[in-house]
Amino acid sequence: MPPADVPGRAPAVPVLAVTGLDVHHGRRRRRRPVLHGVSLTVAPGETLGLIGETGSGKTTLARAVLGLVRPSAGSITLAGEEVSTHGARQWRALRRRGIVQYVFQDPLRSLDPDLTVERSLAEPLLVGGVPRAEAATRIRAVLARVRLEEDLLGRVPGELSGGQRQRAAVARALVTEPRLVILDEPVSALDSAHRVQILRILKELRAAGVALLFISHDLGSVAGSADRIAVLHRGELVESGTARDVITRPRHPYTRLLVGSAPTLRGAPADRAARDALRALLPA
Ligand SMILES: Nc1ncnc2c1ncn2[C@@H]1O[C@H](COP(=O)(O)OP(=O)(O)OP(=O)(O)O)[C@@H](O)[C@H]1O
Ligand SMILES: [Mg+2]
């Protein structure tokens, strides 16, 4: 759980604060708004689940936070530092510090297909100036954390199973000890056994105090690990609240639809069964 603010003490600076974010895609006559007035925060150690249907702008938001697309308005701060106006050089310096890392849906996009797992994990450390011997120790520690065997270190991503690849991508994201990890649909491409494994690792990360922005189109995937849930609909944030409130008392019609139609282990349920199943997933 995120640390509660103590009365009389300054509230913790969010690891991520997005305020009034507008992003457009396309140029000139093709230019159109993709995100409009989006505001959200992730506190240290908190998991925010960001859900929304395909095309609602989730990946665009992640890319804006990572400095891969430039916002047309609004502010983005990472650990208190305004980054929305950063140029390429400032982004390079920020990336070198490894404060924010990411895991994409397709692990082949998070990992360089030509590099062995060991090189992929070592690179961000060596670039950040960590000595080789210390890097080797940290790589082994992070592998244990995601339950990957050390003998996979010499393989390239193409020689791993889908689940192993995604765990390697999570390991690569964790190795710099980031303050925030953005996970964009990290389990969508996985079968249910691997999905459960990754979701368990995410829960452990949350317990260990890593802040997560967990993006998914599937409410069921985020329900079990998110402290709070934000709902994106057609580029606007239509609802946000504690995971429990959003699932048990959805206010916006779109959220109601999501809750009502969430797939469960029992197949396609009626509204009530879906809600009960989601409730069962909520953290105690
Ligand atoms: N580089 C781009 N140029 C032009 N339009 C883009 C670009 N990237 C995304 N879009 C458009 O922006 C909208 C939001 O896309 P985005 O990828 O952020 O959605 P998403 O919520 O991540 O969807 P999904 O669940 O399918 O991953 C879509 O209409 C998409 O076609
Ligand atoms: Mg996406």
Side-chain angles (χ1 to χ4, degrees), residues 94-143:
L94 192 69
R95 290 203 186 100
R96 218 170 290 138
R97 281 157 55 206
I99 290 179
V100 54
Q101 295 289 2
Y102 58 89
V103 176
F104 290 126
Q105 169 173 3
D106 177 1
L108 289 176
R109 279 184 60 211
S110 312
L111 295 167
D112 186 328
D114 296 327
L115 295 188
T116 61
V117 174
E118 183 157 34
R119 285 274 309 274
S120 272
L121 292 181
E123 207 169 67
L125 293 174
L126 300 178
V127 168
V130 174
R132 238 164 232 289
E134 188 189 328
T137 314
R138 278 169 64 174
I139 287 170
R140 272 147 188 88
V142 84
L143 275 190

Side-chain angles (χ1 to χ4, degrees), residues 140-148 174 177 201 204-205 208 210:
R140 272 147 188 88
V142 84
L143 275 190
R145 207 162 174 192
V146 301
R147 296 187 202 85
L148 274 182
L174 290 179
E177 292 171 12
I201 292 168
E204 285 170 15
L205 293 179
V210 182

Side-chain angles (χ1 to χ4, degrees), residues 25-26 32 34 53-60 185:
H25 276 318
R32 54 185 197 84
V34 175
E53 66 200 341
T54 181
S56 56
K58 305 180 298 294
T59 297
T60 301
E185 306 275 5

Side-chain angles (χ1 to χ4, degrees), residues 158-210:
E159 296 167 339
L160 302 175
S161 76
Q164 288 171 334
R165 245 180 245 154
Q166 194 58 307
R167 277 183 283 153
V170 173
R172 187 201 130 279
L174 290 179
V175 78
T176 59
E177 292 171 12
R179 302 276 309 275
L180 173 71
V181 180
I182 299 178
L183 304 122
D184 190 359
E185 306 275 5
V187 296
S188 306
L190 303 179
D191 63 36
S192 60
H194 287 125
R195 186 176 296 205
V196 168
Q197 220 166 35
I198 294 281
L199 291 175
R200 196 175 300 146
I201 292 168
L202 297 187
K203 270 190 175 175
E204 285 170 15
L205 293 179
R206 170 173 171 268
V210 182

Side-chain angles (χ1 to χ4, degrees), residues 18-22 36-40 73-75:
V18 173
T19 314
L21 187 73
D22 286 2
H36 180 60
V38 172
S39 299
L40 54 82
S75 136

